[in-house]
Each structure stands twice: as structure tokens, then as C-alpha cells.
Amino acid sequence: DTFIQDIFFGGRLLRQAPGFAAVTILTLAIGIGATTAFFSVINAVLLKPLPYARSEQLVDLSESNPERGVNGAGCSFLDLEEFQRSGVFADIAGIARHKLTLTGSGDPTEVATVTVTPEIFRILDTNPFAGRYLLEEDGKKGAGAVVVVSEGLWRTRYGASPDFVGSSILLDQRPFTVVGIMPASFQIPVFGGHQEIWIPMAQDPVFSVFMLNREIRGFFAVARLKTGESVARAQAEAQSVSEALAKEFPEDAGFSVGLTPLQTAIFGDIKAPLLVLLGAVGLVLLLACVNIANLMLARAASRTRELALRQALGAGRGRIIRQLLTESALVGLIGSAVGLAIAVVSARALAMLLPKDLPAMGVVQVDLRVLAFALLLSLAAVVAFGLIPAILATDSNMQSYLKDSSARTGTGGRSRTGRALATAEIGLATVIVVAAGLLVRSLLTMTAVNPGFNPEHVLKAQVSLPRYQYSTPQQWTAFSNSFLERIQAEPGMQDSAIGIPSPLADPFAALPFSIADHAPLPPGTPSTAHYVAVSPEYFQLMGIP
């Protein structure tokens, strides 16, 4: 009964001081809303397990050779097969991605293609929406050209046709038989963004050419550990396999194998920035609590005679502290509710700011874990800004304010605490402002970097040639020359050039190199380089001296 009485009394006090109520509630709401929104991102990206059965068994495998400039790359297909035969893992699969051109139904369009060894579906322990996924026999040379498509592509491009499974589609001018449809929620975790079709590596027009080249380590590898196997032990066994391969193929000497839990491999690069940002918004919440504590202390000082009268009428100090804490809790409850609404909206905005190539492993939303975090945060905030003012407002000298009507409305202890809180506010605000200034300066510095070319009035266009139809350099060159001539004839075009891949815009490509008639490079010197294949007009068009 007294608790309900205190709540109603606190509500009346807030209605009587709407300015004070608005400032405290809004200040707390911004702090709790920002912190909860950032926690919802961390919850979705770092705390939730990957959405696959026994996801803790999934690891990323990479091969490194610093002397050749190969750091944490994937592995070659032939090495992948060797790891599969060795029995180190319960299962292992290779993955790569690119785009193919889909024709034969509507306008030609590029589709996001993931080329895989069929074991990936077994490793991820997933079920198709319709039909079947790729099987081991689909991944063998000479097998029929089959494809699995996404539910989204099936619905948007083919109108959710009920007899789609078993039909044929054209990818790069080659027919593929559709054997299955994967649910909209499915994607292979190594790659973010859109995934529309999955085809066997042996049938892929690009990567099937590289499969038998041991030097090309362009395949990501995902493995499932055996039950009870540790990452360290599996890595030691995989390294033994790699060393045995080096003896058989001396050109592979010096490569080491690294295993990383899949969740760490995917999100490791953004873990530290996310935690730093959470700490930054935590400072904002702390500043909000200190600010509200100062306001509460000032408000309690103005109510000294009221509180002294309550004590004179028989209320104990504990009873008065409880009443003041209940009033603080009411502010905290309303502020938390408003903050939660801010968090729901902000979480969606933050999700759109995450790197586009991150896999959508978890939906950024305010779920039960985030709600529990917000509740604990609110309780901690109420204690932080409500307890000290409540204790100081009920000191042992309260009776003196009734005896002397001219008594000051504050004591030395309260004044010292108020000054300390004000100092803390200034200190925290200074830290936040300085940090924000450094971030802005860093952003301006990054945008002022000279990229080495002139991007003004330069447009990028991409043409996807059917790989089965254009399979030789001579065919590519003939198409490029004709293409440039026809573009150059268009009004408004000053210069045109070909660049593959587009620097900065596309994933880089690297090739091993050696310098003719030159002494061997010193040990440890990288012997691979990023390359761009260009037409002669490229440097003039890009303004590269």
C-alpha cells in the first residue's frame, strides 16, 4: 500500500514540475536508448550463435605463407580434397563467389552466384525449401549441370512457379537444371549480401578452370570439427597434412594452416570497433545519470522543510529514502520506456550502417536479451542517480530546518556532493566532446586522401560476358575493342577505357611474379602483386601521371 502511495505521490510531483520531469526523462531516455540500440547490434553480431546446428563446431580454414605474400588466404581445391581424405574433420567444403548472367526469362540480369563443393549443405545441416540441395555426385567432373536457387529469386523472377524444380535456366548461355530451392533465410556464412544461386564448383564456368591448379588458393574453406575435437588439436593435425603435402609438392613448402572459429572469422574485424562504440555511448549514459543526480539533489534540497516535517511526524529515515527512491524509479521507468522506443528505431538505423558484406547472421532487433539488458541498465541508472540524493536529503540535521525558518536549504555535505557531481559532468562531457572531435578529424583526414587518380566525371559500367561463349583472351579483346568504339561514338562521352578489376571498387586480384634477369628476391619479400588489366587509354582517362 505504501509503495503504491509513493508512486501516486511521485506522479503528482512530476505533474507539478513538468519542466523538471521533461528534462530528466528525456536525458535518461537518450542515454538508455543509445546504449540499448548499440547493445542490440552487439547482441545480433557477437553474442548470438550462428544459425546452424552445433555452430560451435564450425571453423574457417586458411593457408598462409608470408614469404610469398600469402596471408590468411583460402586454400587450393587440391589441398581441400587432401584435407577431406585425411579425416581430420567431420566434413570440409570449398566456397567461392562471383556473378553469372541469367537469361531466358525477362531481361538479362546478373545473379549473385556462390560456387560450392556440395558438402557445404551437409556441414551447415540445412534443409531445402523445395526439391533437394546439391549432392556429392553433383560435384564430380562430367556430372550434369545442376543449380539450387534462392526462394527470393524463385518468387520474384519466376512468379513462384509450382513446377520450377526440374526446369532449366540459362546461366552464361548454358542450361542448368534446377534441383532445389533454398529458404529465404539461408545463406552461406562466409559471404554477406545477396546470395541467389548455388552451383557445383565442377560446373562453374570460372572456378572449374582453377580447380586443378595447386598454386591458386582462391577457395574459402569451411569445416565442421569432429564431436569433442578442439580447434587446437584439429589445427595440429591439419598442419601435419600440409607438411606431408609440402614433401610431395616442394613448391608448396612454407605454407601453414590456420583454423579460426567461424563466428570469429566472420565478425572478428568489427568486434573491437563495436565494443569501443558501446563504451562511448555508455559514457553518454553515465553523463546522463550524473546530470540527473545533480538535478535530483537540487530538487531534494528545495524540499528540505517538507522532508523534515515528515520526519517530525514520525517517518523514519529509511521510509523517506524509500519514498525518494520510488520517485526516482518512476522517472527511470518512464525514461526507460521512452528510451526503449528510441532504441527500436535506432537499432534499425544502425543495422543499415553495418558493412554491407557482413552476413546477416542475426536480425538487429530488441529481443528478450536486449530487453533484459535495458531493464538492468535502467535499475543501475536509477540507483546511480537516485540513491546519493536520497541519502543526502535525509541527514540527521533535518529538524533544524523546522526550528529555524531562515535555515539554508543545503548542508555542507550536499554542497560538496553537488560540486563533485558538477565536476564529473564537466569531465565526462569534455571526454565525449574531445573523442567526437577526434573522430570528425579522422573522417576529414580520410576523405582528404589523394586516391592517385581523378574521380571527377568518371562513370563505371560493368558488362558480364557469358564465360562459356567468351572463353579466350582473343574473344575478350575483340569484344572490348568493339565495345569501346561504340561507346566512344555516343554523344557526351569524352574518353573510354577498360579496367579489370576496377581499382578500389572491385575485389582485388593477385598473381605471383618474378623479375627477369634480376637477383632472387630476399627471403620474406612478398612475390605476389595486385594487378589490373587495362586498355591503353586507361591512364589518361583516370588522370594518372
Side-chain angles (χ1 to χ4, degrees), residues 279-280 283-284 287 424-439:
L283 279 179
V284 173
L287 177 60
E425 284 183 66
I426 295 170
L428 286 170
T430 302
V431 169
I432 292 170
V433 170
V434 169
L438 290 172
L439 285 173

Side-chain angles (χ1 to χ4, degrees), residues 176-191:
F176 281 77
T177 301
V178 177
V179 295
I181 302 171
M182 298 306 292
S185 59
F186 173 78
Q187 65 172 323
I188 293 176
V190 176
F191 305 127

Side-chain angles (χ1 to χ4, degrees), residues 155 211 225 292 318 378:
R155 292 187 184 280
M211 287 174 61
L225 299 179
I292 296 174
S378 305

Side-chain angles (χ1 to χ4, degrees), residues 295-374:
L295 291 172
M296 289 285 190
L297 188 63
R299 182 171 171 78
S302 68
R303 297 171 59 191
T304 301
R305 291 182 63 80
E306 172 209 328
L307 298 177
L309 182 60
R310 287 176 177 274
Q311 192 176 61
L313 291 174
R317 188 183 186 190
R319 176 69 182 83
I320 297 176
I321 289 176
R322 192 176 72 184
Q323 177 198 322
L324 294 177
L325 275 177
T326 303
E327 295 172 13
S328 299
L330 188 59
V331 171
L333 179 64
I334 300 173
S336 300
V338 177
L340 207 55
I342 293 174
V344 170
V345 176
S346 302
R348 294 172 185 166
L350 285 172
M352 296 193 311
L353 295 177
L354 289 173
K356 299 301 180 187
D357 58 349
L358 272 184
M361 290 295 96
V363 179
V364 178
Q365 61 182 359
V366 179
D367 58 13
L368 289 178
R369 181 182 288 171
V370 176
L371 283 173
F373 174 82

Side-chain angles (χ1 to χ4, degrees), residues 205 209 465-476:
V209 180
L465 297 178
R467 303 280 180 161
Y468 297 110
Q469 186 176 346
Y470 293 86
S471 57
T472 67
Q474 291 79 14
Q475 290 173 318
W476 304 338

Side-chain angles (χ1 to χ4, degrees), residues 129-151:
F129 176 80
R132 64 172 176 85
Y133 51 63
L134 301 178
L135 303 177
E136 193 170 341
E137 51 266 28
D138 296 323
K140 295 178 180 178
K141 284 285 187 180
V146 296
V147 63
V148 172
V149 306
S150 69
E151 181 184 349

Side-chain angles (χ1 to χ4, degrees), residues 34-196:
T35 309
T36 303
F38 267 94
F39 180 78
S40 67
V41 174
I42 289 175
N43 177 51
V45 172
L46 301 180
L47 300 182
K48 283 186 176 179
L50 299 179
Y52 306 105
R54 306 178 305 283
S55 62
E56 71 282 355
Q57 295 177 343
L58 299 177
V59 295
D60 169 82
L61 182 146
S62 61
E63 295 180 316
S64 301
N65 189 332
E67 289 193 4
R68 298 192 190 180
V70 180
N71 295 306
C75 71
S76 70
F77 178 79
L78 295 177
D79 286 356
L80 195 72
E81 286 189 320
E82 213 48 58
F83 288 124
Q84 181 76 47
R85 283 192 290 266
S86 69
V88 172
F89 307 103
D91 230 330
I92 186 170
I95 315 156
R97 65 173 172 178
H98 60 120
K99 291 183 178 180
L100 295 177
T101 302
L102 176 64
T103 54
S105 174
D107 293 334
T109 184
E110 284 189 329
V111 287
T113 303
V114 184
T115 177
V116 301
T117 57
E119 294 81 10
I120 188 63
F121 298 97
R122 191 167 64 219
I123 289 172
L124 299 180
D125 194 13
T126 184
N127 293 314
F129 176 80
R132 64 172 176 85
Y133 51 63
L134 301 178
L135 303 177
E136 193 170 341
E137 51 266 28
D138 296 323
K140 295 178 180 178
K141 284 285 187 180
V146 296
V147 63
V148 172
V149 306
S150 69
E151 181 184 349
L153 184 66
W154 169 59
R155 292 187 184 280
T156 57
R157 182 84 177 188
Y158 297 97
S161 170
D163 55 353
F164 183 57
V165 175
S167 65
S168 180
I169 63 174
L170 287 177
L171 295 173
D172 272 19
Q173 302 296 323
R174 182 182 179 186
F176 281 77
T177 301
V178 177
V179 295
I181 302 171
M182 298 306 292
S185 59
F186 173 78
Q187 65 172 323
I188 293 176
V190 176
F191 305 127
H194 215 30
Q195 297 181 17
E196 296 175 289

